[in-house]
Amino acid sequence: MQRRLVPAMKNNSQQTTVLALALLLLCAMGQSSQAEETVRQNGKPNVLFIAIDDLNDWTGTLRGNPQAKTPHLDRLASQGMVFANAHCAAPACGPSRSAIMSGLRPSTSGNYINKSSLTHNPKLNNSVLLPEFFQQNGYYVCGAGKLFHGYHFNYEVKGRGFDEYFPSKTQDLPSFAGLKFSSKLPLGGWARQADWGPCHPDVTVDDHPDGITANWATGKLLGGELQEPFFLGAGIFQPHLPNYAPQKYFDRFPLEEIKLPEGFREDDLDDVPAAHAKMAHNPWLKRIRATKQWKPAIQAYLACTSMVDDLIGQIVGALEDSKYADNTIIVLWSDHGFQLGEKGRWGKYSLWERATRVNLVWVAPGVTQPGSVTDKPANLLDIYPTLASLTGLEPPAGQLEGNDLSVLMKNPDAAWDAATVTTFGYKNYGVRSHRYRYIVYEDGTEELYDHTQDKWEWKNLADRPEYAAIKKQMRRELPTHHEPAGVTYQVPKRKPKLR
């Protein structure tokens, strides 16, 4: 019996040992898995960086036009914090995006207009650009679409700071070649900038350059193979002119229901200094009105904004469905506003509200409170330092001139700057506080508007003696250094027009 029991006892011992080892292995695996999860949770957050070109306050979030339909943007805003009084550093693509990517004011860099070079500007070229900052700090940096100004990216930056770029590091936008049209140009081919209209019925949003960009971003997020931490930038071109979108987006805004801008007034420029006319004042509105194209042009802007909103929903939805959802900061911004007739303008290129006010939405897990809104002045210049703060990274020494918006995310009642500054051209400044907008041109002429009583900026108060103290207070916000304009580049010839 004992001879039989001994082997049996040995077998039991082996089984016990195996069982113990299995349990230890499972525990180890569980601890390893838990450790990996802890590392992921405690690691640096990812960044989803969504840029939109020429999108003004005609959104549900900013309520600039009740006809606008942007449910996806509104939903995103409800999940985080909206900076409802945010403004661009400059009302033009080139200097606005250069300021965002470098953290330097235009008055510091001398980068004032779209033709201003980035890499031939020593201050900008020697700065640590935002993609480089994340790359240097161990992030995988990828992007697609319009993040920099087109010329700056394609001919100067050439993917600097990016590990991957779509379509390539010398081409920021996907091709427009997939777009076809059923009708002629609305103004008879007068100018590419004054072109808009629905695409041929066979064309879908997937054929549109912005649809292609959004599909790329969606694929990256849902693919689950992004190296973490990552910085993923998606630059949407619309509603920048030319305003092309599939027919279904135009159908959302029947032409007979389109209303002209509430802020338009025929005599609006009567009390405005002549200096405003030097700021890239174009003849587009005059031609649009003469050819009775004002409402069709507004319809096209709203249609393209609606398409962009769908793409925002697609990209954000992909993030929410991905494994990165709980550890990714979202920042969505538009590079400046756009005037659709207000003050006789069709475009940006001014220091008035409709041209400088931007969309700026943040969703930072564990930091932003859902549905929060602040009216404290903010600037796109604040994006770089805010991202550095939220990701726990040390910003480049002595470079960034913006504010850390996470202060307001954590405490909306925190002490804050009284105003923010927009620059367009040498010594031309717009200063926006909670209540007032003050504009001063290089020649010293001024404008002052009280937004509590005059949201359309119809009544210039600058010459009234009772507002002298307010102007003095606003002037304290102006930069003390005014860098002369930097080197400009030769604009390359455009390819032949579509159609």
Side-chain angles (χ1 to χ4, degrees):
M1 291 288 295
Q2 288 180 346
R3 290 177 182 174
R4 292 176 183 172
L5 285 173
V6 170
M9 290 175 63
K10 187 176 180 181
N11 288 340
N12 286 340
S13 176
Q14 290 175 339
Q15 290 174 357
T16 302
T17 302
V18 170
L19 181 60
L21 289 171
L23 288 171
L24 286 171
L25 181 60
L26 286 172
C27 289
M29 290 175 62
Q31 289 174 352
S32 175
S33 177
Q34 185 177 10
E36 289 175 3
E37 179 66 10
T38 300
V39 168
R40 191 189 72 81
Q41 290 180 353
N42 294 337
K44 298 297 183 185
N46 305 309
V47 177
L48 176 57
F49 186 79
I50 303 175
I52 307 171
D53 208 346
D54 281 18
L55 181 62
N56 63 15
D57 59 4
W58 286 16
T59 61
T61 306
L62 298 183
R63 302 176 184 177
N65 183 341
Q67 291 195 293
K69 300 174 183 178
T70 55
H72 298 291
L73 176 55
D74 302 345
R75 178 177 176 273
L76 177 65
S78 72
Q79 297 172 353
M81 190 170 200
V82 175
F83 288 81
N85 191 14
H87 298 268
C88 58
C93 302
S96 174
R97 292 167 186 257
S98 294
I100 292 168
M101 294 298 188
S102 68
L104 296 173
R105 295 176 182 271
S107 56
T108 298
S109 69
N111 188 292
Y112 294 118
I113 60 175
N114 281 340
K115 291 183 181 180
S116 297
S117 173
L118 191 155
T119 55
H120 294 286
N121 180 311
K123 292 188 177 182
L124 292 177
N125 192 48
N126 293 330
S127 68
V128 180
L129 299 177
L130 185 61
E132 291 179 299
F133 171 70
F134 279 102
Q135 190 180 60
Q136 291 172 7
N137 280 281
Y139 274 66
Y140 182 75
V141 182
C142 57
K146 187 173 179 179
L147 298 176
F148 284 80
H149 178 48
Y151 182 92
H152 289 163
F153 185 86
N154 297 334
Y155 295 92
E156 295 191 339
V157 174
K158 296 181 179 179
R160 181 170 141 188
F162 288 93
D163 296 294
E164 175 187 357
Y165 210 90
F166 178 82
S168 77
K169 292 184 178 182
T170 55
Q171 181 185 343
D172 60 344
L173 289 179
S175 173
F176 280 75
L179 303 186
K180 303 174 185 177
F181 304 88
S182 301
S183 58
K184 295 181 180 180
L185 298 174
L187 300 183
W190 171 58
R192 184 190 73 93
Q193 296 91 336
D195 191 17
W196 58 82
C199 299
H200 189 276
D202 294 340
V203 175
T204 70
V205 69
D206 292 333
D207 300 311
H208 195 285
D210 286 335
I212 296 171
T213 295
N215 288 340
W216 173 88
T218 298
K220 284 292 180 183
L221 292 167
L222 293 179
E225 296 180 359
L226 281 167
Q227 174 186 320
E228 295 187 82
F230 64 77
F231 174 100
L232 190 155
I236 304 300
F237 181 72
Q238 291 293 330
H240 191 292
L241 285 163
N243 288 150
Y244 302 142
Q247 180 68 53
K248 70 175 184 178
Y249 294 105
F250 283 78
D251 294 341
R252 294 178 182 180
F253 304 93
L255 191 58
E256 62 273 14
E257 296 178 10
I258 295 296
K259 296 179 180 179
L260 297 180
E262 186 181 348
F264 174 77
R265 198 162 125 177
E266 291 286 359
D267 63 351
D268 197 6
L269 298 176
D270 289 356
D271 63 351
V272 173
H276 83 88
K278 298 179 181 179
M279 307 185 78
H281 193 27
N282 60 59
W284 300 343
L285 179 65
K286 184 177 180 180
R287 182 68 178 269
I288 287 169
R289 294 184 72 185
T291 53
K292 302 186 185 303
Q293 288 292 318
W294 199 352
K295 287 188 177 181
I298 290 174
Q299 178 196 36
Y301 186 88
L302 290 170
C304 287
T305 298
S306 183
M307 180 186 71
V308 169
D309 184 68
D310 276 1
L311 297 178
I312 292 170
Q314 176 184 328
I315 296 170
V316 173
L319 174 64
E320 293 173 343
D321 292 339
S322 75
K323 66 180 184 180
Y324 314 116
D326 296 333
N327 192 40
T328 300
I329 297 163
I330 304 173
V331 55
L332 179 147
W333 52 273
S334 54
D335 58 352
H336 42 65
F338 196 85
Q339 297 150 133
L340 290 98
E342 300 91 344
K343 295 197 181 294
R345 299 268 178 152
W346 196 273
K348 43 263 190 180
Y349 308 139
S350 83
L351 292 168
W352 296 306
E353 185 85 355
R354 178 69 23 95
T356 73
R357 193 182 186 202
V358 297
N359 296 269
L360 182 58
V361 179
W362 290 83
V363 179
V367 181
T368 52
Q369 295 298 314
S372 54
V373 180
T374 179
D375 289 326
K376 291 188 176 181
N379 199 288
L380 295 181
L381 199 67
D382 303 333
I383 290 176
Y384 196 151
T386 304
L387 283 173
S389 176
L390 290 173
T391 53
L393 302 176
E394 188 68 27
Q399 179 177 317
L400 308 186
E401 298 184 290
N403 293 319
D404 175 8
L405 297 176
S406 71
V407 172
L408 293 178
M409 295 176 194
K410 298 169 185 175
N411 179 13
D413 297 322
W416 197 249
D417 286 355
T420 191
V421 177
T422 299
T423 307
F424 192 47
Y426 180 70
K427 284 191 175 181
N428 296 313
Y429 299 106
V431 183
R432 184 66 159 88
S433 67
H434 178 74
R435 178 172 179 175
Y436 294 99
R437 170 175 295 278
Y438 172 71
I439 296 173
V440 60
Y441 297 99
E442 183 186 3
D443 64 5
T445 55
E446 302 168 304
E447 299 175 48
L448 180 69
Y449 303 99
D450 182 352
H451 270 259
T452 62
Q453 304 175 37
D454 180 22
K455 69 176 183 177
W456 302 120
E457 300 180 340
W458 284 340
K459 189 179 294 184
N460 183 8
L461 307 172
D463 292 337
R464 297 192 181 185
E466 62 267 34
Y467 289 96
I470 297 296
K471 292 195 299 179
K472 183 178 180 181
Q473 180 180 352
M474 299 293 272
R475 277 196 293 268
R476 293 194 188 107
E477 305 295 330
L478 296 175
T480 56
H481 176 77
H482 316 281
E483 185 73 9
V487 176
T488 59
Y489 61 80
Q490 184 69 33
V491 181
K493 291 183 179 180
R494 296 191 184 277
K495 295 180 180 180
K497 297 174 186 174
L498 298 172
R499 301 193 194 214

